[in-house]
Amino acid sequence: MSLKDQITDDMKTAMRAKDSERLATVRLLIAEIKRKEVDERIELNDAQVVAIVEKMIKQRKDSITQFEAGGRQDLADIEKAELAVLVTYMPAGLSDEEVAAEVAAAVAASGAAGPQDMGKVMAILKPKLAGRADMTAVSAQVKKALAGG
């Protein structure tokens, strides 16, 4: 079952269970998926759906930070609830050791000699790790590996 089918099934389940909070978040996700499909006239695969979920998670985290800074805990709580639903659609994350091993393999595969080769290494890692690891942390590990090597 594709991720898109799973999301649609979850919407139906939330409707039957009258879980309005989960239903609203799933509908937002489906709307974003459909918008992208219509705009680009394509059928999204799982990797593209994960990218959309990842983007929505980042938006929620940014909103939570802003709302809490502005003293609007009520709005921050709504965003946290949406974030909890969205996280369930992300693939299982990688451990720090697994990320470090992927970084080491990518550095070796690209023949990177220093910080100027960071783009080459990230180009190898991004398709492998997108959605499974925090790319900001991956970038920091690559920078560290290239500075030391």
Side-chain angles (χ1 to χ4, degrees):
M1 176 188 291
S2 75
L3 185 56
K4 213 166 69 169
D5 294 338
Q6 179 189 343
I7 293 168
T8 304
D9 284 352
D10 287 354
M11 181 181 72
K12 292 173 187 172
T13 304
M15 272 195 247
R16 287 186 197 109
K18 295 185 180 5
D19 184 354
S20 59
E21 290 174 5
R22 183 172 185 81
L23 180 60
T25 304
V26 173
R27 281 184 170 157
L28 278 173
L29 178 56
I30 289 173
E32 190 63 26
I33 290 168
K34 290 211 184 302
R35 185 194 61 74
K36 184 136 180 115
E37 285 182 336
V38 168
D39 287 354
E40 298 182 15
R41 293 184 173 88
I42 57 170
E43 183 80 19
L44 295 180
N45 62 29
D46 281 357
Q48 292 164 317
V49 172
V50 166
I52 289 173
V53 173
E54 206 169 37
K55 180 180 170 195
M56 291 178 74
I57 287 173
K58 185 178 185 314
Q59 289 170 340
R60 298 304 174 281
K61 287 180 179 177
D62 292 345
S63 295
I64 290 168
T65 305
Q66 294 297 319
F67 288 142
E68 287 177 345
R72 294 296 309 264
Q73 193 58 44
D74 55 330
L75 296 175
D77 291 341
I78 292 169
E79 295 291 320
K80 286 178 182 176
E82 289 181 2
L83 180 64
V85 172
L86 291 170
V87 167
T88 62
Y89 297 111
M90 291 300 289
L94 296 175
S95 69
D96 290 340
E97 295 79 27
E98 291 170 315
V99 171
E102 289 287 346
V103 167
V107 168
S110 68
Q116 70 275 11
D117 295 327
M118 181 147 179
K120 287 183 196 173
V121 177
M122 289 303 289
I124 293 171
L125 289 173
K126 187 148 177 70
K128 285 185 181 177
L129 303 182
R132 297 175 61 211
D134 178 11
M135 292 311 286
T136 307
V138 172
S139 176
Q141 281 193 17
V142 170
K143 201 175 286 183
K144 184 175 157 190
L146 292 177

